Amino acid sequence: MVGVSKAMAQALIAIRELRRMMDETRRSMDESLILVEQRDGYRVLTLNRPQRLNAFTEPMHVALREALAAVEADAGCRALLLTGAGRGFCAGQDLNDRLSQGGDTAVLGGALEAYYNPLVRKLRALPFPVVAAVNGVAAGAGCNVALACDIVIAARSASFIQSFARIGLVPDSGGTWTLPRLVGPARARALALLAEPLPAETAEAWGLIWKVYDDATLMEEAHKLCAHFAAAPTAGLALIKRALDESWGNDLDTQLDLEREFQREASLNPDYAEGVRAFMEKRPPRFAGRR
Ligand code: T3D
């Protein structure tokens, strides 16, 4: 009798544990770390950990990597919009994952190799424009991931912080490459060494980002940009991205050769013929956007 009731108690505990695990799985499925929205010709990816200002965790990196792979594999996708849920864009690495219960920190480098560097490389290499709509604070790697996008627009209330120096780290996710190229060496050094927040309006005035919009209109403007790109000559835009990126490592002579080759490639795409015909016929072009 005693044996039977012990077995029943164990079974009840096992059922309760199973229920708890199922609830947890359901909850984590409901709380997608990356929200994906399909629009006509483009996709919106929203970083979704608003309670932590969308700071990166390993599961969020994995979800973002999968979402980006799906975007790239979709031949009908001609632009990408990246933004953040809640009041922040992204606060960089989640520092909760960098402090053990005993108070120790780990030696870094692994997450850059596994996640941040491939993410920046992917954003640069996607064969269509990537728009970042910076809806709030963008700090640490969150700032530099935004700056890796092709067109960065921001809410007037947003700010950009190279917060690394505040915790004894070095700007990563391309920051040491991007910053001096966008704002020049003097401003890049001050931003990286002082780690002060740069208001969105100053970021625009300095050429760190493309444009600032009132908070209430940011997303509307971001969607307008993406809708424009979704009707643009996509293959040509991909070549523009590559040509501008490759220019940093080339002298003028090499770049002129590259432009000749890219122009040849662009002219073989039907969108070029459509563009010229539409101009001659005084009508708007209808680009197929094959890539
Ligand atoms: O492998 C590697 O680690 C290398 C890769 C490194 C890449 C990096 O990004 S290193 C840099 C990491 N990021 C930071 O150092 C930024 C830390 N955050 C902040 O300095 C501030 O939160 C902000 C300036 C971004 C915003 O300030 P504020 O006052 O608007 O908001 P808050 O109250 O500080 O933050 C709101 C909540 O989000 C708060 O949680 P609570 O108190 O309400 O429970 C805060 O702790 C949390 N939060 C913000 N940023 C992070 C974070 N939690 C964990 N990690 C964060 N990065």
Side-chain angles (χ1 to χ4, degrees):
M1 203 55 189
V2 174
V4 172
S5 57
K6 194 175 168 197
M8 275 182 68
Q10 279 172 341
L12 278 174
I13 290 169
I15 289 168
R16 212 174 295 142
E17 176 63 8
L18 194 65
R19 276 215 191 108
R20 193 192 60 75
M21 283 166 64
M22 283 168 70
D23 281 352
E24 213 160 81
T25 309
R26 205 173 306 120
R27 212 168 29 245
S28 71
M29 283 170 74
D30 288 346
E31 295 164 3
S32 293
L33 298 169
I34 301 293
L35 303 177
V36 181
E37 191 189 342
Q38 179 65 48
R39 292 286 185 113
D40 198 9
Y42 66 96
R43 215 169 278 196
V44 187
L45 301 185
T46 304
L47 308 175
N48 189 35
R49 298 186 69 233
Q51 71 287 3
R52 289 277 173 271
L53 301 179
N54 306 314
F56 280 107
T57 57
E58 201 169 332
M60 190 166 102
H61 269 299
V62 171
L64 182 56
R65 188 172 63 194
E66 285 169 6
L68 286 172
V71 172
E72 192 175 15
D74 176 0
C77 186
R78 295 164 71 179
L80 172 68
L81 173 53
L82 184 65
T83 191
R87 72 173 178 90
F89 175 75
C90 176
Q93 171 62 41
D94 189 318
L95 297 175
N96 291 301
D97 293 353
R98 293 295 177 262
L99 203 58
S100 75
Q101 290 199 328
D104 296 326
T105 50
V107 177
L108 301 182
L112 295 185
E113 185 64 21
Y115 298 114
Y116 290 99
N117 291 355
L119 169 60
V120 169
R121 289 187 176 113
K122 179 58 71 190
L123 291 171
R124 300 300 293 187
L126 281 173
F128 43 73
V130 181
V131 174
V134 179
N135 51 302
V137 65
C143 181
N144 293 333
V145 164
L147 298 180
C149 297
D150 295 304
I151 300 216
V152 187
I153 59 174
R156 209 170 294 285
S157 69
S159 58
F160 296 82
I161 316 178
Q162 294 294 319
S163 33
F164 307 90
R166 291 186 185 182
I167 54 169
L169 289 185
V170 179
D172 59 25
S173 304
T176 56
W177 190 89
T178 312
L179 283 176
R181 285 170 169 79
L182 290 176
V183 297
R187 284 169 170 166
R189 266 173 203 262
L191 286 174
L193 294 173
L194 295 172
E196 285 176 2
L198 188 72
E201 284 178 346
T202 315
E204 182 195 77
W206 286 8
L208 187 74
I209 64 168
W210 173 232
K211 274 184 188 168
V212 170
Y213 294 101
D214 289 338
D215 290 30
T217 59
L218 175 74
M219 291 315 290
E220 184 188 327
E221 296 295 338
H223 283 289
K224 267 192 223 162
L225 268 176
C226 288
H228 164 84
F229 286 134
T234 310
L237 300 191
L239 289 168
I240 293 174
K241 282 182 65 159
R242 275 178 57 199
L244 290 173
D245 270 355
E246 291 193 27
S247 75
W248 295 114
N250 288 342
D251 59 19
L252 176 61
D253 229 31
T254 313
Q255 192 68 11
L256 287 171
D257 287 345
L258 177 142
E259 286 176 2
R260 181 198 60 223
E261 287 314 303
F262 281 17
Q263 207 67 297
R264 184 177 177 282
E265 196 177 331
S267 70
L268 292 170
N269 190 289
D271 280 344
Y272 165 62
E274 166 60 10
V276 175
R277 277 193 210 106
F279 176 79
M280 301 309 283
E281 293 164 15
K282 299 191 186 304
R283 62 167 173 82
R286 288 181 297 272
F287 294 118
R290 258 204 333 259
R291 55 177 171 93

